[in-house]
Amino acid sequence: MASIEQMESVESILNQHLPPGEREQVLRVLYGKETKPLSLPQAALTTAEKNDFEIKGYSFSAAPEQLRAPRIVRVGLIQNKIVIPTDRPLKEQRDALHQHISTIVKAAAESQVNIVCFQEAWTMPFAFCTREKKPWCEFAESAEDGPTTELVKDLSKQYNMVIISPILERDTVHGETIWNTAVVVSKGRYVGKHRKNHIPRVGDFNESSYYFEGNTGHPVFQTEFGKIAINICYGRHHPLNWFMFGVNGAEIVFNPSATVGELSEPLWGIEARNAAIANSYFTCAINRVGTEKFPNEFTSGDGRPAHQEFGHFYGSSYVAAPDGSRTPGLSRIKDGLLIAEMDLNLCRQVKDVWGFQMTQRLDMYAKSIDAAIQPNYEPQIIN
Amino acid sequence: MASIEQMESVESILNQHLPPGEREQVLRVLYGKETKPLSLPQAALTTAEKNDFEIKGYSFSAAPEQLRAPRIVRVGLIQNKIVIPTDRPLKEQRDALHQHISTIVKAAAESQVNIVCFQEAWTMPFAFCTREKKPWCEFAESAEDGPTTELVKDLSKQYNMVIISPILERDTVHGETIWNTAVVVSKGRYVGKHRKNHIPRVGDFNESSYYFEGNTGHPVFQTEFGKIAINICYGRHHPLNWFMFGVNGAEIVFNPSATVGELSEPLWGIEARNAAIANSYFTCAINRVGTEKFPNEFTSGDGRPAHQEFGHFYGSSYVAAPDGSRTPGLSRIKDGLLIAEMDLNLCRQVKDVWGFQMTQRLDMYAKSIDAAIQPNYEPQIIN
């Protein structure tokens, strides 16, 4: 058996070893109603092969309705390693990522993708493990018209795509404040942004040394392809964060992330998928891939000697549907583009069946939570 | 491959077909940190074999602490078929279940179980698919001193066990109101009850014809073995329900359920486990087993002809820990007792590492939810 850094995916092992009948049963329980592989155009496959990234596509099914036409959308999730080492000049690092992701976006366009989302802080290594302010803060740029947003506007216009671009934001209007921000661009135009609501202080995720809790609420972006929202990384651990995007009407919630194996891998398949079920929308979970090595050594607060590597980002990006079904994941070790085709009508169809939006008793919880935040709250304990 | 009603479990298929190395990797990703099998006493194994139920035990690990002693607890989850047909006299049906469950409780006692929980509405078939009031409403009984609670008091006293007994409750103080209620008994004494907060109207779960949404809030029962709560069945789909039990300090939340394969099986491994992760407590998911056939035919509102069978309750009861690990499930087709040993110190250990209780921004959500329940709420939409 290969080492854990070399393991391609759970699905590849199941596919290799389970007889077809057993495989079908296991996947039905583990992954829900089967997603059908999409037939992708040769141009996209060639682009992927030439540039050494995986490309996979799946389709979720929904029922036809009598009074509404289907609303078919294709989303693309991009996961990638950094392209050149972290000790190279920052502009070279960023340019290399700009170029690499532009290539993958081209493959997405060739595959008729309507909405694409990149991984968290995609223009840089995930340097927050180092606690060094220099040089990493230099990666922060304007959400509205920084060099990355300008590139994204061009790509969006060229391919008529909605693009979600999660970056490190520098807010010069408010005294050079730094944020972890997802920028939404449509038809070549900056539409808006969302700032990460929940900031981790766990493992090597020293993010609160760089930026604080977001102040943009729970916006839903009404695009021509549907209502979308972004729950950035650690926010996936907070059910209320997912919940409020649902309350505001999201049909697809993207979760651009950066997370490593030892910390979170068994949680990865659970949280975004639970959110899809609980809130009757699609969720798109995106993770980095590979191991990032930094110029200077750092410690991790766990007794290990100083070291220069963050740990293994395990990729495994996937899409989950409101009916609890999910696609297979992208590779744990390789760059990739995951394409999912969905009929957004499925959201309302599932709500009509399960009725969570009507059985949730939100008025009761408004009162309970109001009470719970009081300093003198008395928990309901029975002895 | 056996039919879906005959499939023992996902784990049994993985164990049979995967080479040991691959199996370990797959289970690490799918089930988290390994739970160790418990060595169970021969008396319990013999009781199980003689009475044709499965018995399995697993142990979750926690770190030793310097300033607190471990708080080791054993919980027992019981899943079962009804014992005699649904057309037999009600007292015979209930007596048969009383006797069968008493036997399984004996095996739990022999295995040093401290807290045991039965499945939802355990004294009766899950007759709510029929919409018949007669004779099923007759199963409803007093939570404080009905025949079932009296039996449970005896068992609790005899074995020094905390017992959670989910029944159909008849509240004579309030005009013969019927509830879906979990009764908590400790040291032979009635401690309190919790009424199901969220009532489904989905598939054959016509429960709102029999009882309404509970009025007991989110109580946590402080027992000698730890702080416990009960999220009954459909409440597992509601993250806020899980959340409030956590706010009130629960360390173990039991989820006695009755759910069938076609409706929910791919969701089963996700929801209670996500709740354990999100709220840093243990969760115990319990489901019925088998197919229940009713005397009169009924329709299911799904175009199928009238029929007498509810569908396949798929068992698969399991326990999940705050660190995201979980036990294998009980069988999909057989009665069973699942025993899990846990150190409740793990709850606080995980909170100290992940910090969800401090990064959750509950004051923000109190305001957001207050706003959302207003009739004139304007969702936060960006065009």
Side-chain angles (χ1 to χ4, degrees):
Chain A
M1 179 61 202
S3 81
I4 203 156
E5 278 75 20
Q6 295 168 316
M7 173 185 165
E8 173 70 26
S9 69
V10 164
E11 298 89 351
S12 63
I13 294 176
L14 299 183
N15 287 341
Q16 189 185 339
H17 294 284
L18 298 188
E22 279 77 357
R23 187 173 146 264
E24 191 186 328
Q25 296 282 32
V26 163
L27 287 180
R28 182 189 63 80
V29 173
L30 293 179
Y31 280 21
K33 191 175 172 186
E34 191 183 359
T35 52
K36 297 272 188 310
L38 281 177
S39 169
L40 298 173
Q42 190 55 50
L45 301 176
T46 304
T47 304
E49 195 179 347
K50 267 174 53 185
N51 295 279
D52 197 29
F53 64 87
E54 183 184 30
I55 183 167
K56 282 181 173 179
Y58 300 94
S59 167
F60 292 96
S61 58
E65 299 183 18
Q66 297 191 44
L67 299 180
R68 285 199 305 185
R71 292 184 299 139
I72 306 291
V73 176
R74 281 197 183 187
V75 299
L77 290 62
I78 296 178
Q79 68 175 35
N80 61 282
K81 300 174 190 160
I82 52 173
V83 177
I84 63 174
T86 60
D87 59 1
R88 298 286 290 281
L90 300 192
K91 180 145 189 336
E92 286 180 28
Q93 291 187 51
R94 191 178 65 195
D95 285 350
L97 280 160
H98 279 185
Q99 190 179 342
H100 184 49
I101 296 306
S102 297
T103 304
I104 304 183
V105 169
K106 178 170 170 285
E110 287 161 350
S111 308
Q112 283 83 52
V113 163
N114 306 115
I115 308 171
V116 74
C117 181
F118 310 150
Q119 67 196 19
E120 184 184 19
W122 71 275
T123 64
M124 58 181 289
F126 214 72
F128 313 119
C129 53
T130 64
R131 282 176 292 116
E132 300 163 350
K133 302 294 173 109
K134 281 198 299 188
W136 315 113
C137 286
E138 280 199 59
F139 276 112
E141 55 177 287
S142 159
E144 287 76 11
D145 55 11
T148 298
T149 300
E150 290 306 316
L151 170 79
V152 166
K153 287 177 188 170
D154 289 345
L155 293 170
S156 163
K157 191 168 182 179
Q158 182 177 355
Y159 299 127
N160 187 31
M161 225 182 252
V162 171
I163 301 181
I164 300 164
S165 167
I167 60 169
L168 197 62
E169 179 197 1
R170 182 176 291 279
D171 177 4
T172 53
V173 175
H174 297 95
E176 303 281 352
T177 308
I178 292 175
W179 301 97
N180 183 316
T181 300
V183 178
V184 178
V185 173
S186 176
K187 300 176 192 282
R189 180 179 71 87
Y190 166 88
V191 176
K193 65 188 169 193
H194 175 58
R195 291 168 174 159
K196 184 170 181 173
N197 269 331
H198 300 272
I199 309 296
R201 289 88 165 153
V202 49
D204 271 337
F205 294 83
N206 302 307
E207 298 174 44
S208 67
S209 297
Y210 297 86
Y211 44 80
F212 291 6
E213 281 72 11
N215 59 357
T216 51
H218 293 85
V220 167
F221 299 90
Q222 171 74 68
T223 75
E224 63 178 310
F225 305 115
K227 291 190 209 169
I228 64 173
I230 309 106
N231 178 347
I232 305 175
C233 197
Y234 181 81
R236 77 180 171 280
H237 305 301
H238 288 285
L240 285 167
N241 200 35
W242 291 109
F243 183 78
M244 280 308 302
F245 291 118
V247 164
N248 287 333
E251 295 170 306
I252 313 172
V253 180
F254 294 86
N255 176 229
S257 298
T259 182
V260 291
E262 282 174 34
L263 193 66
S264 68
E265 193 163 2
L267 285 53
W268 181 249
I270 302 293
E271 293 170 307
R273 190 161 163 220
N274 188 75
I277 297 164
N279 301 291
S280 305
Y281 52 51
F282 290 89
T283 58
C284 303
I286 303 168
N287 188 21
R288 285 183 178 236
V289 197
T291 299
E292 300 179 357
K293 186 177 176 183
F294 291 92
N296 305 315
E297 63 180 12
F298 56 93
T299 55
S300 295
D302 60 0
R304 279 188 299 152
H307 48 273
Q308 290 173 269
E309 295 195 349
F310 197 150
H312 176 63
F313 293 106
Y314 53 82
S316 307
S317 302
Y318 69 96
V319 180
D323 65 1
S325 60
R326 59 156 286 184
T327 67
L330 286 179
S331 166
R332 294 179 69 259
I333 50 179
K334 204 173 167 184
D335 288 11
L337 166 64
L338 176 64
I339 299 166
E341 182 175 283
M342 53 194 62
D343 179 352
L344 295 182
N345 283 355
L346 185 63
C347 300
R348 199 175 83 175
Q349 289 175 12
V350 171
K351 284 189 177 188
D352 283 354
V353 171
W354 277 102
F356 301 153
Q357 79 285 17
M358 294 195 290
T359 55
Q360 68 186 359
R361 308 184 70 181
L362 202 50
D363 51 346
M364 173 174 74
Y365 291 104
K367 285 187 198 131
S368 305
I369 293 174
D370 267 344
I373 59 171
Q374 303 310 319
N376 60 350
Y377 178 58
E378 288 188 18
Q380 185 184 356
I381 305 272
I382 296 178
N383 288 291
Chain B
M1 179 61 202
S3 81
I4 204 156
E5 278 75 20
Q6 296 169 316
M7 174 185 165
E8 172 69 28
S9 68
V10 164
E11 298 89 350
S12 63
I13 294 176
L14 299 183
N15 287 340
Q16 188 185 340
H17 293 284
L18 298 187
E22 278 77 356
R23 187 173 146 264
E24 191 185 327
Q25 296 282 33
V26 163
L27 288 179
R28 182 190 64 80
V29 173
L30 292 179
Y31 280 21
K33 192 176 173 186
E34 192 183 359
T35 52
K36 299 270 187 313
L38 281 177
S39 169
L40 298 173
Q42 190 54 51
L45 300 176
T46 304
T47 303
E49 196 179 344
K50 266 174 53 184
N51 295 279
D52 197 29
F53 64 87
E54 182 184 31
I55 181 167
K56 282 182 172 179
Y58 300 95
S59 167
F60 291 96
S61 59
E65 298 183 18
Q66 296 191 44
L67 300 179
R68 284 199 305 185
R71 291 185 299 140
I72 306 292
V73 176
R74 280 196 184 190
V75 299
L77 288 63
I78 297 177
Q79 69 174 34
N80 60 282
K81 299 174 189 159
I82 53 172
V83 177
I84 62 173
T86 60
D87 59 1
R88 299 285 291 280
L90 300 193
K91 181 147 188 332
E92 285 179 29
Q93 291 187 51
R94 190 178 67 194
D95 285 350
L97 280 161
H98 279 184
Q99 189 179 343
H100 184 48
I101 297 306
S102 297
T103 304
I104 304 183
V105 169
K106 178 169 169 287
E110 288 161 348
S111 308
Q112 283 82 53
V113 163
N114 306 117
I115 309 170
V116 74
C117 182
F118 310 150
Q119 68 196 18
E120 184 183 20
W122 72 275
T123 64
M124 59 182 289
F126 213 74
F128 314 119
C129 53
T130 65
R131 283 176 290 115
E132 299 162 350
K133 303 293 175 108
K134 282 197 299 187
W136 315 114
C137 287
E138 281 200 59
F139 275 113
E141 54 177 287
S142 159
E144 288 76 11
D145 55 12
T148 298
T149 298
E150 291 306 317
L151 169 79
V152 167
K153 287 177 188 170
D154 289 346
L155 293 170
S156 164
K157 191 169 180 179
Q158 182 177 356
Y159 300 127
N160 187 33
M161 228 182 253
V162 170
I163 301 181
I164 300 164
S165 168
I167 61 169
L168 196 63
E169 180 197 359
R170 182 177 290 279
D171 177 5
T172 53
V173 175
H174 298 95
E176 303 281 352
T177 309
I178 292 175
W179 301 97
N180 183 316
T181 300
V183 178
V184 179
V185 172
S186 175
K187 299 176 192 284
R189 180 178 72 88
Y190 167 86
V191 176
K193 65 189 169 195
H194 174 59
R195 289 168 174 160
K196 185 171 180 172
N197 269 330
H198 299 272
I199 309 296
R201 289 90 165 152
V202 48
D204 271 337
F205 294 83
N206 302 307
E207 298 174 44
S208 66
S209 297
Y210 297 87
Y211 42 82
F212 291 5
E213 280 73 10
N215 59 357
T216 51
H218 293 85
V220 168
F221 300 90
Q222 172 73 68
T223 75
E224 63 177 311
F225 305 115
K227 291 189 209 169
I228 64 173
I230 309 105
N231 178 347
I232 304 175
C233 197
Y234 182 79
R236 77 179 171 282
H237 305 301
H238 288 285
L240 286 166
N241 200 35
W242 291 109
F243 183 78
M244 280 308 302
F245 291 119
V247 164
N248 287 334
E251 296 169 306
I252 312 172
V253 180
F254 294 86
N255 176 229
S257 298
T259 183
V260 290
E262 280 173 38
L263 192 67
S264 68
E265 194 164 2
L267 286 52
W268 181 249
I270 302 294
E271 294 170 309
R273 191 161 161 220
N274 188 75
I277 296 165
N279 302 292
S280 305
Y281 52 51
F282 290 89
T283 58
C284 303
I286 303 168
N287 189 20
R288 280 181 183 239
V289 198
T291 298
E292 300 178 357
K293 186 176 176 184
F294 291 93
N296 305 315
E297 62 181 13
F298 56 93
T299 55
S300 296
D302 59 359
R304 279 187 300 151
H307 48 272
Q308 293 174 268
E309 294 194 350
F310 197 149
H312 177 62
F313 294 106
Y314 52 83
S316 308
S317 303
Y318 70 96
V319 180
D323 65 1
S325 60
R326 60 156 286 183
T327 68
L330 285 179
S331 165
R332 294 178 70 261
I333 50 181
K334 203 172 168 186
D335 289 11
L337 166 64
L338 176 64
I339 299 166
E341 182 175 283
M342 53 193 62
D343 179 353
L344 295 182
N345 283 355
L346 185 63
C347 300
R348 199 175 84 178
Q349 289 175 14
V350 170
K351 285 189 176 188
D352 284 353
V353 171
W354 277 102
F356 300 154
Q357 80 284 16
M358 295 195 290
T359 55
Q360 69 187 359
R361 308 184 68 181
L362 201 50
D363 51 345
M364 173 174 74
Y365 291 105
K367 284 187 199 130
S368 306
I369 293 174
D370 266 345
I373 59 171
Q374 303 308 320
N376 60 349
Y377 178 58
E378 289 188 18
Q380 184 184 355
I381 305 271
I382 295 177
N383 288 292

